[in-house]
Amino acid sequence: MTDEQDEGPDSTAVRVALWRAMHMQVDSPPHLIEDEVGLRLAAPAEGWRCRPDMDPRGTSGFRAAIVARARFIEDLVAEQADHGVPQYVVLGAGLDTFAQRRPEIASRLRVFEIDQPGTQAWKRRRLIDLGYGIPDWLRLVPVDFEAGADWWEQLSEAGFDPGRPAVVVCTGVTVYLTKDATTATLRRLAGLAPGSTLAMTFMLPTELVDDADRPALEATTPQAQAAGTPFISFYTPQEMLALARDAGFKDAHHVPGSVLAERYFADRADGLRPSSGEDLLVATT
């Protein structure tokens, strides 16, 4: 049996962290986010920039999409913190580094990062080894999803107060879950205290992806399968909105990737633009 202490994040989480770091290293200013903490955590082998999935040109659209959603989430969390929301939950946290990069905001909240036990044990050790530590307001919540553990119960045991509003974020996760699992998650989150906000990404069916981006998406599908993280679920915006409303959210709206492109990439001299294919659901209780 593999010791969970030796398990690290999955390849998808590492790739996302490396793309965030590459944004600072290869893209022209202004940078949407400044994040090399994930690179320090992952500590990839020398020559990682030569990996095919790190090709500066070939993966620029994916890289831009990743930093666009990260910036959108950080803007949302900062806004909600300013409104007095006291809790922030990251479902499927992976190598999320908000707490380390933005302590001036994070320390005003109680931040809960949920992920598999092996990933959380590895991350806890890496944060301590690198000198970041685990401040009292940051809770790394290990949940063994594969064993059917109740993440809501373990979140409460970690100090989450269901009677107070929260921001809950779930990015890059729903494509790997069954639709039943996502529906159950939405129903659970719709019961959050009034004034709570959920931001959840979802992948569009291939036919809704821009023609220029479709070949790249189709090429990544077998790669995800080979890596053991197959793409399972795709949603139209109308379908995702219906799921949120049926789950009981008071309000739900769709944020297309094109909106993030216009908000964060307009008038860039380098022409950097996010690829299409991933949109956002933002829902409130």
Side-chain angles (χ1 to χ4, degrees), residues 6-271:
D6 293 332
E7 296 177 15
D10 64 35
S11 60
T12 302
V14 172
R15 185 180 302 114
V16 167
L18 298 185
W19 277 341
R20 292 198 306 255
M22 279 194 71
H23 177 54
M24 290 184 63
Q25 296 181 6
V26 305
D27 296 327
S28 302
H31 296 124
L32 274 68
I33 59 170
E34 297 184 357
D35 183 8
E36 290 194 313
V37 177
L39 175 61
R40 295 190 68 199
L41 287 171
E46 186 177 352
W48 65 271
R49 288 268 300 268
C50 297
R51 290 169 33 170
D53 61 349
M54 294 295 126
D55 179 73
R57 284 192 172 184
T59 63
S60 64
F62 293 133
R63 183 173 69 249
I66 289 298
V67 298
R69 82 182 187 194
R71 174 61 181 272
F72 178 86
I73 294 302
E74 294 196 5
D75 288 349
L76 174 66
V77 173
E79 174 188 63
Q80 293 301 306
D82 286 344
H83 290 165
V85 172
Q87 302 179 108
Y88 175 34
V89 180
V90 189
L91 290 174
L95 291 177
D96 189 273
T97 58
F98 174 77
Q100 291 74 47
R101 293 181 297 102
R102 303 299 303 274
E104 75 282 1
I105 300 173
S107 62
R108 295 157 51 196
L109 303 160
R110 181 162 286 184
V111 180
F112 301 87
E113 296 186 9
I114 299 176
D115 215 316
Q116 294 282 1
T119 298
Q120 295 299 65
W122 173 91
K123 188 173 185 180
R124 178 179 296 277
R125 186 174 65 253
R126 291 294 293 150
L127 287 172
I128 292 171
D129 289 349
L130 291 171
Y132 294 106
I134 314 292
D136 182 63
W137 44 263
L138 174 61
R139 308 293 170 89
L140 302 182
V141 185
V143 178
D144 191 346
F145 295 100
E146 295 176 0
D150 187 338
W151 63 269
W152 183 259
E153 178 181 340
Q154 292 181 241
L155 179 62
S156 296
E157 290 177 356
F160 181 78
D161 185 349
R164 305 184 74 190
V167 183
V168 180
V169 166
C170 181
T171 60
V173 173
T174 60
V175 72
Y176 303 110
L177 303 178
T178 65
K179 293 193 175 184
D180 285 346
T182 294
T183 297
T185 299
L186 287 169
R187 287 176 178 161
R188 175 75 80 177
L189 294 173
L192 289 166
S196 297
T197 302
L198 165 68
M200 175 181 280
T201 62
F202 60 95
M203 291 293 291
L204 299 173
T206 304
E207 64 269 18
L208 296 184
V209 177
D210 291 349
D211 290 345
D213 298 325
R214 200 170 296 160
L217 177 60
E218 292 174 342
T220 61
T221 300
Q223 294 170 7
Q225 179 80 35
T229 53
F231 296 161
I232 297 174
S233 301
F234 300 83
Y235 302 86
T236 67
Q238 294 77 14
E239 184 179 9
M240 184 55 77
L241 288 171
L243 287 177
R245 289 164 180 157
D246 290 346
F249 281 95
K250 182 177 69 175
D251 181 62
H253 66 274
H254 166 224
V255 181
S258 58
V259 169
L260 303 190
E262 291 305 315
R263 180 179 301 180
Y264 300 123
F265 294 87
D267 303 321
R268 284 187 67 97
D270 60 2

